[in-house]
Amino acid sequence: MAPTKTIKFVYGSEIRRVTVNVPNFQQLGELVKTLFNTSLESVRLSYVDSEGDKIIICSQPEWETILQEPTLPKINVETSVPSTEASFKQSQNQNHNQNENQNCSPSKPLIFVKLIVEPKYAQYGITVDEATCKEAEGRFHLTLQKYFGNQRIHPDNLPSMFKKSITFLYVSEKAVVVEVGIARFYKALFRKAVELVSFAETIPQGKQIFLEISELLQHPAVCWALAYVELLSNNLDKAKEYLQMIFQFNEELRSGLDSHDFFESFSESALYSQLVDMFTAMSDEYNTNKWKEECSNKWKAQIEVLKGFGIEMGDRQVELLDSCEGKVDLFLNQYFD
């Protein structure tokens, strides 16, 4: 009887664990196709070894090396990227970049960017809207070129703040393919923006970075940072607009604001205290309005009955009804008492 192995596959946010007869590399591809409805040609398999290095699996010998382990490591299934200049250009054509051949040169190669949404990096205080992320892939190379400055995008020219977020997959004079861990990348940009707004002469650059981050990054800390910068510019109304946006995020994200880097850098600032006071007042109003809405929906039938008795159901009356747990007779006794 053939030996069996338990294999855990991770494909995006989907995790599958199966126990099967030990497959060869070709059978492994069929298994991936069955589990995730994709082909081995369109994905890349990898795992992290005992030394913490990411190892790519693309042949039978490499797969046999893993099988020698007493317990198989977790197999990561990733969408593959172009490995040649030809496939790179084909992908660019799909993004409707019609002028690519006119723009490439040894000093300014074409750039293909694969953005990686990393749910596990939510611990960095950052989440990214995946749909927005994919929509931006076609123009993200311009962002990269900007932060590389006038230098060619090349591993030797990679700014230190991006070393943990950018991986070069293919480099030639005409084309570069990079994989970007989007959460880590924007974490690095956020830190840079914080550094810039610490000094009056570089506040505009810091604000611009925050604005660029906000296009892809879905996190209240960006709104908070932009509100702070607007206060630095003495623009109170605009600051309030950014603070108001924070309430669009879920409660978990809002409550995680305090742990963000931005606040550690400015917590002693008088403007920061003003920002906190503004947000606290807005938060109280938001919570009050939310409670009113919830009570009105919760006791909708009872409110209609009481209105039929000629009772005007304002905020105080709804609050009384809620304290009576919606019991109309108890409400009437207390209301006319």
Side-chain angles (χ1 to χ4, degrees):
M1 183 176 179
T4 61
K5 286 277 189 179
T6 298
I7 310 174
K8 182 162 73 172
F9 295 93
V10 178
Y11 185 41
S13 59
E14 188 174 352
I15 301 176
R16 306 290 293 273
R17 186 194 297 270
V18 293
T19 300
V20 294
N21 293 336
V22 177
N24 58 34
F25 185 68
Q26 183 177 357
Q27 292 168 333
L28 182 67
E30 292 299 317
L31 181 58
V32 168
K33 182 178 181 179
T34 301
L35 292 174
F36 303 109
N37 194 29
T38 185
S39 65
L40 191 61
E41 290 76 18
S42 64
V43 299
R44 182 176 64 183
L45 305 181
S46 67
Y47 69 99
V48 178
D49 67 10
S50 57
E51 298 178 350
D53 295 322
K54 180 178 179 180
I55 309 298
I56 306 299
I57 313 166
C58 56
S59 66
Q60 180 64 28
E62 290 167 326
W63 175 237
E64 290 175 352
T65 300
I66 304 176
L67 293 176
Q68 295 173 10
E69 300 289 335
T71 303
L72 286 181
K74 176 177 64 180
I75 306 299
N76 297 305
V77 183
E78 304 169 289
T79 304
S80 62
V81 296
S83 58
T84 65
E85 225 167 280
S87 57
F88 161 75
K89 289 185 176 182
Q90 181 181 1
S91 178
Q92 288 295 84
N93 284 333
Q94 291 173 354
N95 286 331
H96 309 291
N97 291 329
Q98 303 296 330
N99 299 321
E100 56 185 21
N101 291 324
Q102 299 174 11
N103 295 330
C104 71
S105 69
S107 61
K108 188 179 180 182
L110 298 171
I111 306 159
F112 177 80
V113 180
K114 179 189 176 188
L115 300 184
I116 307 299
V117 179
E118 306 160 291
K120 65 180 180 178
Y121 290 115
Q123 62 186 348
Y124 284 95
I126 285 180
T127 57
V128 181
D129 182 278
E130 186 167 1
T132 307
C133 179
K134 289 188 177 299
E135 179 185 333
E137 281 189 344
R139 56 184 168 82
F140 195 82
H141 64 283
L142 298 175
T143 302
L144 273 183
Q145 188 73 64
K146 177 178 179 179
Y147 288 105
F148 271 76
N150 294 323
Q151 293 182 311
R152 174 186 173 187
I153 294 187
H154 187 275
D156 294 342
N157 300 328
L158 184 63
S160 58
M161 67 176 180
F162 295 141
K163 288 189 181 298
K164 293 183 178 180
S165 60
I166 297 178
T167 302
F168 283 81
L169 303 175
Y170 174 77
V171 179
S172 76
E173 289 189 351
K174 293 186 176 180
V176 174
V177 182
V178 295
E179 186 176 78
V180 180
I182 189 67
R184 293 190 188 195
F185 181 84
Y186 277 101
K187 181 70 171 181
L189 282 187
F190 197 99
R191 287 175 173 166
K192 182 64 175 178
V194 169
E195 177 185 329
L196 289 172
V197 298
S198 301
F199 305 97
E201 64 272 14
T202 52
I203 286 175
Q205 296 97 303
K207 178 182 177 180
Q208 183 59 38
I209 293 179
F210 283 133
L211 287 170
E212 291 171 5
I213 294 173
S214 68
E215 291 184 10
L216 282 184
L217 189 60
Q218 306 299 309
H219 198 276
V222 179
C223 298
W224 186 280
L226 285 165
Y228 181 87
V229 176
E230 293 299 342
L231 277 186
L232 287 173
S233 305
N234 219 12
N235 192 341
L236 185 63
D237 290 339
K238 191 65 177 177
K240 287 182 177 179
E241 285 183 25
Y242 284 123
L243 289 180
Q244 190 64 45
M245 292 178 188
I246 293 175
F247 298 106
Q248 299 173 7
F249 298 91
N250 62 49
E251 186 175 344
E252 183 179 356
L253 279 179
R254 291 199 302 271
S255 62
L257 277 173
D258 292 340
S259 62
H260 206 279
D261 289 354
F262 187 83
F263 313 109
E264 296 178 8
S265 304
F266 298 96
S267 58
E268 301 301 321
S269 166
L271 282 179
Y272 176 83
S273 299
Q274 181 182 350
L275 198 67
V276 171
D277 291 341
M278 288 170 55
F279 183 72
T280 301
M282 295 172 70
S283 182
D284 290 344
E285 181 181 359
Y286 171 83
N287 291 328
T288 299
N289 291 335
K290 184 178 179 182
W291 173 82
K292 290 178 183 177
E293 182 180 354
E294 290 174 349
C295 285
S296 296
N297 291 331
K298 185 177 181 181
W299 310 122
K300 184 176 181 179
Q302 291 87 335
I303 289 173
E304 291 302 318
V305 171
L306 291 168
K307 284 182 177 179
F309 291 144
I311 298 174
E312 184 178 345
M313 296 300 292
D315 293 343
R316 291 179 59 186
Q317 289 74 24
V318 172
E319 183 178 357
L320 176 58
L321 179 62
D322 188 58
S323 67
C324 295
E325 297 182 348
K327 298 176 181 177
V328 174
D329 54 345
L330 182 59
F331 170 87
L332 291 172
N333 288 336
Q334 295 190 26
Y335 181 75
F336 291 110
D337 187 5

